[in-house]
Amino acid sequence: MPRGQSSSMSTREKPKVDQAVDPNEDNRKHRRGAYLLLGLLIVFLHGSWSVYRIQFGNLPLPLDSKQAGKRGFSEASALEHVKYLTSLGPHPVGSDSLDLAIQYVYAVAEKIKTTAQWEVDVQLELFHTDIGANRLSKGLFKGKTLLYSDLKHVLLRVVPKYMPEAEENLILVSSHIDTVSTTEGAGDCSSCVGVMLELARGVAQWAHGFKSGVLFLFNTGEEEGLDGAHSFITQHHWRNSVRFAVDLEAMGISGKSTLFQGTDYWALESFAAVAKYPSAQIASQVDIFRSGAIKSATDFQIYQEVGGLPGLDFAYTDTTSVYHTKNDKIKLLKPGSLQHIGDNMLAFLLHSAASPNFLKNAQQQKQENTEQNKAVFFDILGKYMVVYSQRLATMFHNSIILQSLLIWGTSLLMGGCSGLVSFGLSCLGIILMLIFSICLPVVVAFILPHICPFPVPYVANPWLIIGLFGSPALLGAFIGQHIGFNLLKRHLRCVYSRTKPGLTHNTREYVIDLEAERWIFKSGFVQWLIVLILGTYFKVGSSYIALIWLVSPAFAYGFLEATLSPVRLPKQLKVVTLVLGMAAPVVSSAGLAVRMADVIVGSIVRVDRNPGGLPDWLGNVIVAVAVAIVICFMFVYLLSYVHISGDKRTLGLLLWIFFGLSLALVTSGIVPAFTEDVARSVNVVHIVDATGIDDGNREPLSYISLFSNTPGKLTKELVDLGDEEFFCGRNMTTDFVTFTMKYGCWSYKDSSTGWSKSEVPTLRVESDSVTDSARQTVISVDTKSSTRWSLGINKQEIDDFTVQVDSEKLVLLGDKTEVDGWHTIQFAGGKNSPTKFQLTLYWSNTATKTSRREAKEASDVPLLVKLRTDVNRVTPQVTNVLEKLPRWSTPFGKSTSPYTLAFLTDLPVNIFRQ
């Protein structure tokens, strides 16, 4: 090209460059100031918190009986039932207090029957279960067989008098009366029972126009492994008439009862159409609850897997740290909580029971492919509920994915090699952001146990994780992204020096900053596109979140920032682009992110299922990584606005100051780790240990055991127990059959009282024979006074087994799973449950060949079976210890936890073989 033409072109281009960047002015005035960036951060955080408060904290006003009317739902009336049930104290299976609770529920149900509308038929039944076996094998039930006996349930069936077919088409509403032994159960689940009684009263005034009946099941045994629901769905004569199941549960106390499990699109759509205050999140279902991240289960699993029923599952999730502890008490029930679920459920039951289409869909559900009926569901600010089929979601997501890939592919082809390198470096920035964002808070997580009074010092005040983990994570995210930003700038200098030689140095540097800023912003699209691709491939229901975080900022960028001419130089990103692009993502998911963080923090108090088995720092690392991932994904767009700011150091200093203040609060103890209302898990158990005693001549060993499911040693608790002669360490191992205490404290002081030797269970070998090269051993199990026990069977030695009571075989051969080489049988029943069982073991061909003499001489003899029996009695010394424990500690109960008095015994492998 002639020299003159080249000079002419440069002259024509220069005004465009000047217009775009104005090189005659100081570039620094274009940089965003600290106040603007700080304001954007505050707006983002405040907006997220406001979304959370509106979505999860905005409860309806509670109504009294006059305001609700005869046909409405009254929280005041439901609360009266909750008050009575909690006044009974803990009421676990087999307790006198549970009998009183059952009598109360039955009496209220009788009153509902007598006051029902005259065209409504109300039938009431007290169902006494037979002995049974629950053989679920998934999730928490892997490696277990659950036995039950002598359970009592209250059933209330409401049907229209003049429509007999309604009796054969029932909608089941279920919850449980029983609690664990450590709590009065205001949330879990006396609140559910109170709501159901008030719902039954209201439904009994409306049912004359129903096409289906409504069956209210107040079961017992849920806390022992879903035994109540299993006994109903396998034994009761009304079970075959149930077409749909609704389960009410609690994994915290009060707040909004959220729909977190639903089987079918049509059922979810029915609920969405009538719910007054919809609260629903699929992210809590398949993506978290069913993944096993939360170690829990509800009766809904029985209705779905054993009964094959479609249905909906609701649960309270506020303040999960009080779950199954003494702090699950009525004073923590927030006003409006019962009104929220009551109004929603009453509207749903009235709609579904009166609709012939609902019944038709329920009947067809078993005949159709359940995959086609799956749905995506979530609420927006607790005002609207969105439901669409998983099939439609997959199609829509695939469409967005293909369009995104097409746009990116076209853009990279137009950009050539330099554009491809820029794209790669921006993706590298994403990876570095994730690495640095995780590393910094994880370092803090490792340090906290060494400098704080407790390893998890933020449980009572979850907001502290913002400073302790959020600040380092945000700083790490910025550092990682800024490294990618600088690498991009280095590459763009080479590109612009080659393609735009006419630019002045200052102008070129500023243009490079703007170009790098845009690439970093667009890297957020890539990040969320990858999440959307993975979520769609694995059919993750909450992939809609990735869709919104991809599409909304992309549209805002496309409308406000995209340049159609490759010649035109970039401009600074507009603040309005960020605000408009982030509005929809924040509204749709910020509240859920806060709720999930709260649930994770609350779960830390019981994270160590084998006390002392996990490192003290693990709970912190879980929280730190979760916070870091949320920050990386939610702040990716916002952080791109910081890199060309002249006040990066100021913002970094503010983050360090916030982190330092939070650290000072937890290390000094100014903000306590635990309080009376949010307490640390500490269990006190009187153990009578008869393990290793096969001749009956030696006396059992008796001691008081202290252990915690919350990470950390028991040093602080022992300050108040100084005169109780406890000694602690990792050598204080106790095998409780269902779990192993790997760190704890023992005390022999005054442990010989409160129990008798006649209560010690026995395992006696009745026969040991070999037939057709197969060895078979019959063992009699006598649990004495205990109707709650756990027995472990060594599956490395035993191929199979049966359990028999009198002449009835409860557990048949086949389908025995194992965990860590053991299969566990758990039994729970009422006062009239059997206490003598026959266990028949069928040995493996590879079983250990050890003589009786060798077994006795061995220092570490493998066990064949091990047994723990529980007695719901507080011995004098346990009472003394419990009274001295700090007020910020509380026993924690679950189906695998022992009562306050536990007996241990076992049989070693081949100890009886001559």
Side-chain angles (χ1 to χ4, degrees):
M1 181 179 292
R3 190 184 189 101
Q5 291 182 8
S6 175
S7 176
S8 176
M9 182 173 291
S10 298
T11 305
R12 286 196 301 269
E13 287 181 357
K14 190 170 182 180
K16 292 185 178 181
V17 173
D18 293 348
Q19 185 180 3
V21 296
D22 195 5
N24 296 321
E25 298 182 14
D26 185 3
N27 288 334
R28 280 184 286 184
K29 82 174 187 177
H30 294 280
R31 296 181 177 181
R32 302 180 186 93
Y35 290 113
L36 174 61
L37 295 175
L38 185 61
L40 287 173
L41 179 62
I42 292 173
V43 168
F44 179 79
L45 294 176
H46 183 268
S48 299
W49 179 251
S50 298
V51 168
Y52 170 73
R53 293 297 304 167
I54 294 171
Q55 187 171 8
F56 292 99
N58 190 16
L59 295 169
L61 292 175
L63 303 180
D64 58 30
S65 56
K66 290 184 179 180
Q67 292 171 316
K70 194 174 183 180
R71 292 184 167 189
F73 184 92
S74 166
E75 176 174 306
S77 299
L79 200 59
E80 290 301 315
H81 306 313
V82 180
K83 288 179 180 178
Y84 178 83
L85 293 173
T86 54
S87 69
L88 299 174
H91 34 282
V93 169
S95 65
D96 293 334
S97 53
L98 181 59
D99 290 338
L100 294 174
I102 294 171
Q103 291 172 18
Y104 175 81
V105 172
Y106 190 87
V108 175
E110 279 190 319
K111 184 178 179 181
I112 292 172
K113 179 178 180 180
T114 58
T115 58
Q117 206 264 357
W118 67 275
E119 293 179 291
V120 176
D121 182 23
V122 177
Q123 299 181 35
L124 177 62
E125 182 177 330
L126 181 62
F127 176 50
H128 197 164
T129 69
D130 295 328
I131 193 168
N134 181 351
R135 296 289 297 277
L136 288 177
S137 59
K138 297 180 181 179
L140 292 177
F141 303 99
K142 183 180 180 182
K144 291 182 180 180
T145 297
L146 305 176
L147 307 180
Y148 54 83
S149 177
D150 192 33
L151 301 179
K152 297 174 183 177
H153 314 321
V154 177
L155 290 93
L156 185 70
R157 189 177 71 173
V158 183
V159 295
K161 274 185 180 178
Y162 306 112
M163 190 171 289
E165 59 269 25
E167 296 182 2
E168 299 303 317
N169 299 287
L170 301 177
I171 297 172
L172 175 68
V173 183
S174 172
S175 192
H176 62 95
I177 306 174
D178 63 305
T179 70
V180 293
S181 62
T182 55
T183 178
E184 63 189 37
D188 187 19
C189 209
S190 296
S191 61
C192 311
V193 174
V195 167
M196 282 177 56
L197 288 171
E198 180 63 6
L199 282 173
R201 183 199 61 77
V203 168
Q205 305 300 320
W206 287 93
H208 55 281
F210 285 0
K211 301 295 188 295
S212 306
V214 180
L215 174 61
F216 294 92
L217 169 62
F218 304 86
N219 70 64
T220 63
E222 191 273 349
E223 297 293 6
E224 299 298 341
L226 317 183
D227 294 337
H230 188 274
S231 61
F232 166 78
I233 213 69
T234 56
Q235 296 182 16
H236 197 271
H237 59 94
W238 284 342
R239 69 185 186 277
N240 295 323
S241 300
V242 176
R243 303 287 178 255
F244 189 84
V246 176
D247 182 51
L248 304 183
E249 255 298 349
M251 288 176 282
I253 183 168
S254 73
K256 289 187 176 182
S257 184
T258 301
L259 170 60
F260 73 103
Q261 293 194 86
T263 56
D264 298 275
Y265 169 74
W266 53 268
L268 292 161
E269 193 175 42
S270 296
F271 177 77
V274 297
K276 288 186 175 182
Y277 318 104
S279 180
Q281 290 295 339
I282 192 174
S284 305
Q285 178 183 332
V286 180
D287 310 341
I288 296 180
F289 190 78
R290 291 187 181 178
S291 68
I294 296 179
K295 302 293 184 181
S296 188
T298 71
D299 284 339
F300 188 73
Q301 184 174 349
I302 295 290
Y303 300 134
Q304 187 177 9
E305 295 183 15
V306 180
L309 296 171
L312 304 175
D313 199 6
F314 298 82
Y316 294 114
T317 54
D318 264 17
T319 322
T320 55
S321 55
V322 308
Y323 177 66
H324 283 190
T325 70
K326 69 177 183 181
N327 292 320
D328 187 1
K329 50 193 175 184
I330 197 166
K331 84 168 191 175
L332 296 182
L333 273 174
K334 296 177 182 176
S337 301
L338 306 189
Q339 193 70 47
H340 173 265
I341 182 60
D343 282 344
N344 282 345
M345 283 309 306
L346 183 59
F348 174 71
L349 291 176
L350 297 182
H351 170 75
S352 55
S355 170
N357 292 331
F358 187 89
L359 176 62
K360 181 180 178 181
N361 289 331
Q363 290 173 331
Q364 291 178 348
Q365 186 270 339
K366 290 185 179 181
Q367 303 172 2
E368 297 179 355
N369 184 0
T370 55
E371 289 294 324
Q372 296 180 356
N373 291 325
K374 288 185 177 180
V376 175
F377 59 93
F378 56 93
D379 71 272
I380 300 175
L381 299 179
K383 305 295 184 183
Y384 309 99
M385 182 171 169
V386 179
V387 181
Y388 53 95
S389 68
Q390 181 68 59
R391 189 175 182 181
L392 176 61
T394 302
M395 293 172 59
F396 185 50
H397 292 180
N398 286 334
S399 173
I400 296 297
I401 290 169
L402 290 175
Q403 292 179 55
S404 300
L405 293 176
L406 180 62
I407 293 171
W408 270 108
T410 304
S411 176
L412 292 177
L413 283 174
M414 292 177 62
C417 182
S418 62
L420 192 61
V421 174
S422 298
F423 173 77
L425 290 174
S426 64
C427 291
L428 177 62
I430 295 174
I431 297 172
L432 292 174
M433 179 178 66
L434 190 61
I435 292 173
F436 279 85
S437 181
I438 291 177
C439 287
L440 289 187
V442 164
V443 170
V444 177
F446 279 106
I447 294 174
L448 284 180
H450 301 287
I451 62 176
C452 296
F454 295 96
V456 283
Y458 45 80
V459 174
N461 300 278
W463 55 268
L464 284 168
I465 67 172
I466 300 174
L468 293 174
F469 303 126
S471 292
L474 185 58
L475 183 61
F478 172 73
I479 291 173
Q481 199 181 71
H482 195 64
I483 293 174
F485 177 80
N486 287 328
L487 292 175
L488 262 171
K489 286 177 60 177
R490 181 179 298 180
H491 164 67
L492 292 172
R493 284 193 187 97
C494 298
V495 174
Y496 273 87
S497 63
R498 186 175 66 252
T499 60
K500 305 289 182 182
L503 296 176
T504 64
H505 175 75
N506 288 342
T507 300
R508 184 168 59 247
E509 286 298 311
Y510 187 61
V511 168
I512 289 171
D513 282 346
L514 299 181
E515 184 73 15
E517 179 185 61
R518 286 173 173 258
W519 274 109
I520 292 297
F521 185 88
K522 290 186 289 186
S523 70
F525 304 158
V526 179
Q527 175 179 274
W528 283 107
L529 178 61
I530 293 172
V531 175
L532 181 61
I533 292 172
L534 294 175
T536 303
Y537 178 79
F538 291 106
K539 295 184 178 180
V540 178
S542 54
S543 298
Y544 76 89
I545 296 175
L547 179 73
I548 297 172
W549 278 89
L550 168 64
V551 172
S552 180
F555 266 103
Y557 182 86
F559 281 119
L560 299 174
E561 303 289 353
T563 57
L564 300 178
S565 172
V567 178
R568 186 177 179 182
L569 295 178
K571 294 182 179 181
Q572 190 177 48
L573 289 175
K574 303 178 181 69
V575 173
V576 69
T577 303
L578 179 68
V579 175
L580 292 179
M582 294 283 283
V586 168
V587 169
S588 65
S589 58
L592 179 62
V594 176
R595 169 47 56 94
M596 290 305 171
D598 182 61
V599 170
I600 293 173
V601 171
S603 301
I604 295 298
V605 296
R606 52 186 181 276
V607 69
D608 200 347
R609 302 182 73 84
N610 294 295
L614 298 177
D616 290 347
W617 46 261
L618 184 60
N620 293 330
V621 169
I622 293 172
V623 177
V625 171
V627 170
I629 291 174
V630 168
I631 283 178
C632 278
F633 282 91
M634 294 184 68
F635 282 78
V636 61
Y637 300 115
L638 177 59
L639 287 177
S640 65
Y641 278 64
V642 181
H643 299 290
I644 60 174
S645 167
D647 298 295
K648 294 186 286 291
R649 293 183 179 180
T650 303
L651 293 176
L653 180 62
L654 289 176
L655 290 176
W656 276 114
I657 291 174
F658 191 34
F659 166 71
L661 288 175
S662 301
L663 191 64
L665 290 175
V666 297
T667 54
S668 64
I670 295 175
V671 177
F674 304 99
T675 64
E676 185 175 356
D677 288 336
V678 182
R680 184 188 184 189
S681 160
V682 179
N683 284 56
V684 182
V685 182
H686 192 149
I687 297 174
V688 180
D689 189 351
T691 57
I693 301 177
D694 62 315
D695 52 13
N697 294 327
R698 288 193 291 120
E699 289 291 324
L701 182 66
S702 175
Y703 56 91
I704 309 299
S705 175
L706 205 65
F707 60 86
S708 175
N709 295 103
T710 309
K713 296 182 179 180
L714 296 167
T715 309
K716 296 293 181 181
E717 288 81 355
L718 292 182
V719 172
D720 296 333
L721 299 173
D723 58 345
E724 297 302 328
E725 303 175 6
F726 276 100
F727 49 98
C728 309
R730 295 195 175 275
N731 58 333
M732 305 287 100
T733 301
T734 302
D735 188 343
F736 283 98
V737 181
T738 52
F739 68 94
T740 300
M741 184 187 79
K742 298 183 177 181
Y743 166 84
C745 303
W746 288 4
S747 172
Y748 296 103
K749 180 181 178 181
D750 299 331
S751 62
S752 59
T753 60
W755 62 277
S756 66
K757 194 173 181 180
S758 62
E759 294 178 292
V760 177
T762 59
L763 297 169
R764 188 172 72 246
V765 178
E766 299 291 341
S767 65
D768 182 35
S769 59
V770 178
T771 57
D772 298 328
S773 300
R775 184 178 176 187
Q776 177 178 315
T777 302
V778 179
I779 300 174
S780 67
V781 181
D782 188 351
T783 62
K784 300 302 174 68
S785 61
S786 174
T787 58
R788 185 182 190 264
W789 50 268
S790 301
L791 183 129
I793 299 172
N794 189 339
K795 285 287 288 177
Q796 295 179 339
E797 305 289 337
I798 302 300
D799 268 344
D800 211 340
F801 63 87
T802 61
V803 178
Q804 183 173 319
V805 176
D806 297 328
S807 59
E808 180 182 0
K809 278 194 175 181
L810 290 179
V811 182
L812 305 178
L813 294 173
D815 299 327
K816 309 293 196 311
T817 57
E818 64 180 75
V819 174
D820 297 330
W822 290 87
H823 186 94
T824 304
I825 302 173
Q826 290 181 225
F827 181 92
K831 300 172 184 176
N832 297 320
S833 299
T835 59
K836 294 183 179 180
F837 303 83
Q838 181 177 291
L839 176 66
T840 303
L841 305 177
Y842 298 86
W843 291 71
S844 168
N845 292 329
T846 59
T848 305
K849 307 297 183 182
T850 308
S851 69
R852 180 182 181 92
R853 181 177 179 181
E854 290 172 336
K856 284 189 173 182
E857 292 176 352
S859 59
D860 187 18
V861 181
L863 298 178
L864 179 66
V865 293
K866 49 187 180 180
L867 173 66
R868 186 195 83 219
T869 60
D870 299 326
V871 178
N872 193 15
R873 184 168 71 241
V874 182
T875 61
Q877 184 57 12
V878 169
T879 302
N880 187 37
V881 173
L882 287 173
E883 290 175 348
K884 292 183 179 180
L885 278 176
R887 299 174 69 87
W888 44 259
S889 61
T890 174
F892 169 69
K894 53 184 177 180
S895 62
T896 56
S897 299
Y899 284 164
T900 49
L901 176 59
F903 296 85
L904 304 176
T905 189
D906 60 25
L907 279 178
V909 171
N910 287 351
I911 194 66
F912 43 83
R913 185 179 176 88
Q914 300 296 330

